[in-house]
Amino acid sequence: MNVVILAAGMGKRMQSALPKVLHPLAGKPLLQHVIDTARRLSPSKLCVIYGHGGAAVPEMVGKLALDSGAAIDTALQQPQLGTGHAVMQAVPQLDEDAPTLVLYGDVPLTTEQSLRSLVEAAGNDKLGILTVEQANPFGLGRIVRENGRIVRIVEEKDASDLERAIREINSGIMCIPTRHLKRWLAALSNNNAQGEYYLTDIVAQAVSECVEVVSASPSAEWEVAGVNSKVQLAELERRHQLNIATALLEKGVTLMDPARIDVRGELICGRDVVIDVGCVFEGRVELADGVTVGPHCVLVNAKVAAGANIKPFCHIEDAVVGSKSQIGPYARLRPGTELGEDVHVGNFVEIKNSQVAAHSKANHLAYVGDATVGSRVNIGAGTITCNYDGANKFRTVIEDDAFIGSDSQLVAPVTVGKGATLGAGTTLTKDAPAGKLTISRPKQMTLDGWTRPVKVKK
Ligand code: UD1
Ligand code: CA
């Protein structure tokens, strides 16, 4: 099968410099949603028609093709003279022996299942149209039937009052026998209300040549809804998020409110996962059995092991959280953080590019960067690893069972030995030996007979 994706329109109503099909839905460009769905049908040819937005669209498509190792053709449509004219640009690249499925780059949520039912209905020699009954069909092409059979499609602007009353609409998604397509496209005229070459006019041609025209319908209207404005984009985003939330619920995940979760990527959950409101998941996030995520957390490319508890307002990115760990509230785990089992990271603690082994704790106000932290280490409040001298970064090593007194600075590169204790307020510039107390604080003293100065009267 060939797939042609129309994406040349300019999307004026988006009021944006970004080409319409590159606007993200669930963090992914609209066009990528369409390409991803199309690819699940294993097409032999995939061609994207672009026009507005300069090189941005073919660049994005080229990158997708490169990442996946499967070719995607692009064809420029300039100027944009209608949907029929758009498909014409792809014709030289199409395999004549296989049908051609036409998709729109701005219709992101069509399911693989609906496309398969259309492709099946069309087979190799019929013209298939994905149609839907719409309560408000205004602006869309109407499916004109005679004795139940489709005879043509009429656009809103060309329709009579009687035709405008028809509620079955053309989604725009069609499956066309390719060997007829070239001839039908060549015969199109732009003698209509919009002066465009309508792809929809091939339907009447098929009927006149006794090529059977069939229809299939999607499970719901949103599957064929297009994005022309930010309002429609926001509506489809909500619909898509609700679909994702429903799928998570069906798999047994507890969502405190399915209307208040945003998944912009892939969220993989084990059994008995609980997610509170307002969380955002980006990239690939894995939550193992029994994980709970408190309200208003952001997790990006993260892996959270079984039984861990992410408390409210945490930001976790490119990080691994060990089983039964307690994170937050208000913790930040930055890229390269790997926490072992039962690690406690409390409020206003930032960890970056560091490994923290089992049962260690940093419960309050600390920065741990470029550090290797052993097991059962206690990092006191206000501790900072000084990992950066303004030019280079250095590692801090804290061995098992060390105790770092509050408000210490560890000036890397530096090592705290196994079981060592740092007194509060220590500025550690040399290694602290294992098992001993190291303290850099000046000795405390008290001056007898000292009095406070008094204000001199003038
Ligand atoms: C088209 C259909 C209409 C259908 C509606 C569904 C035609 C003539 N009409 O309407 O029956 O109900 O879609 O939304 O086909 N595009 C190009 N190049 C062009 C024109 C359009 O690539 O020259 C692309 C657009 O980017 C968009 C899609 O084709 O992705 C549909 O174009 P749009 O103008 O939104 O649809 P209509 O022509 O109004
Ligand atoms: Ca449209």
Side-chain angles (χ1 to χ4, degrees):
M1 183 179 50
N2 307 286
V3 172
V4 176
I5 301 175
L6 306 191
M10 80 162 143
K12 209 167 156 189
R13 285 160 59 198
M14 296 298 278
Q15 312 266 17
S16 165
L18 189 68
K20 176 164 76 174
V21 292
L22 298 188
H23 282 263
L25 182 128
K28 184 165 95 173
L30 294 172
L31 178 57
Q32 197 180 335
H33 284 268
V34 182
I35 290 173
D36 287 351
T37 310
R39 277 181 155 169
R40 277 183 237 127
L41 305 172
S42 320
S44 51
K45 287 265 161 52
L46 179 54
C47 182
V48 174
I49 310 298
Y50 71 100
H52 276 276
V57 173
E59 264 168 22
M60 176 274 200
V61 171
K63 207 178 153 296
L64 267 186
L66 204 68
D67 289 351
S68 65
I72 307 174
D73 294 323
T74 54
L76 175 65
Q77 186 201 14
Q78 191 72 274
Q80 287 89 42
L81 303 178
T83 49
H85 179 251
V87 175
M88 268 181 228
Q89 313 310 309
V91 160
Q93 311 190 21
L94 302 179
D95 174 1
E96 283 220 359
D97 300 323
T100 296
L101 178 65
V102 175
L103 303 176
Y104 288 180
D106 56 3
V107 177
L109 298 184
T110 321
T111 61
E112 179 190 346
Q113 200 189 343
S114 296
L115 295 180
R116 280 191 190 283
S117 71
L118 174 68
V119 169
E120 258 163 50
N124 264 326
D125 46 14
K126 284 172 258 175
L127 172 55
I129 310 168
L130 198 63
T131 76
V132 69
E133 294 264 347
Q134 221 152 284
N136 177 14
F138 180 78
L140 296 163
R142 308 297 206 283
I143 304 293
V144 181
R145 291 181 186 260
E146 280 170 15
N147 304 320
R149 287 170 172 257
I150 297 174
V151 292
R152 61 197 169 89
I153 296 175
V154 61
E155 295 303 299
E156 170 87 25
K157 287 184 180 146
D158 301 292
S160 65
D161 285 347
L162 217 60
E163 287 164 338
R164 284 188 184 140
I166 298 170
R167 295 199 308 170
E168 186 185 11
I169 62 96
N170 169 33
S171 70
I173 296 173
M174 290 188 189
C175 186
I176 309 159
T178 309
R179 57 182 184 282
H180 298 312
L181 180 62
K182 212 173 187 171
R183 186 177 66 256
W184 291 342
L185 289 175
L188 291 180
S189 97
N190 64 353
N191 182 18
N192 52 52
Q194 300 180 82
E196 285 183 6
Y197 296 93
Y198 292 164
L199 178 63
T200 44
D201 284 350
I202 68 171
V203 175
Q205 292 190 64
V207 170
S208 75
E209 290 181 16
C210 296
V211 172
E212 202 180 332
V213 181
V214 296
S215 65
S217 30
S219 69
E221 246 179 63
W222 51 260
E223 279 202 42
V224 296
V227 172
N228 298 299
S229 65
K230 291 286 172 76
V231 172
Q232 290 172 342
L233 180 62
E235 283 168 1
L236 281 194
E237 176 79 39
R238 283 306 101 210
R239 163 49 64 184
H240 184 56
Q241 292 301 342
L242 207 54
N243 291 346
I244 293 171
T246 304
L248 288 168
L249 292 170
E250 280 166 356
K251 281 188 187 145
V253 177
T254 300
L255 302 178
M256 299 315 284
D257 182 354
R260 282 184 289 169
I261 176 172
D262 285 83
V263 181
R264 301 175 191 147
E266 200 181 355
L267 175 59
I268 299 145
C269 294
R271 288 177 81 90
D272 299 308
V273 166
V274 178
I275 301 172
D276 212 322
V277 300
C279 294
V280 178
F281 300 91
E282 291 180 12
R284 184 186 164 91
V285 176
E286 286 178 51
L287 307 178
D289 295 354
V291 167
T292 61
V293 182
H296 304 292
C297 291
V298 177
L299 281 82
V300 184
N301 296 320
K303 211 169 161 172
V304 182
N309 180 6
I310 314 291
K311 295 172 186 171
F313 302 107
C314 290
H315 192 282
I316 300 177
E317 179 175 8
D318 290 311
V320 176
V321 175
S323 60
K324 300 196 199 78
S325 288
Q326 309 272 334
I327 311 299
Y330 299 103
R332 180 167 185 210
L333 305 182
R334 290 173 51 200
T337 297
E338 286 172 36
L339 308 181
E341 186 190 337
D342 180 39
V343 167
H344 292 205
V345 177
N347 38 244
F348 307 107
V349 172
E350 172 181 348
I351 304 185
K352 183 214 81 170
N353 190 31
S354 297
Q355 294 79 44
V356 180
H359 314 296
S360 288
K361 295 183 174 127
N363 272 330
H364 337 265
L365 300 147
Y367 172 61
V368 178
D370 301 308
T372 305
V373 179
S375 299
R376 297 171 303 278
V377 168
N378 196 309
I379 296 178
T383 297
I384 289 172
T385 55
C386 308
N387 58 330
Y388 185 53
D389 63 6
N392 297 295
K393 298 213 167 125
F394 301 95
R395 282 201 85 78
T396 298
V397 176
I398 304 174
E399 294 179 350
D400 294 349
D401 300 298
F403 181 98
I404 312 297
S406 295
D407 198 28
S408 293
Q409 303 98 52
L410 284 66
V411 183
V414 76
T415 295
V416 178
K418 188 168 170 20
T421 301
L422 298 193
T426 292
T427 301
L428 193 72
T429 52
K430 288 178 289 208
D431 292 353
K436 294 185 175 163
L437 171 66
T438 298
I439 191 161
S440 73
R441 205 188 306 154
K443 276 225 165 77
Q444 182 172 322
M445 59 181 185
T446 303
L447 301 185
D448 288 326
W450 180 83
T451 54
R452 284 187 190 171
V454 280
K455 196 167 172 107
V456 182
K457 284 206 172 111
K458 286 183 185 159

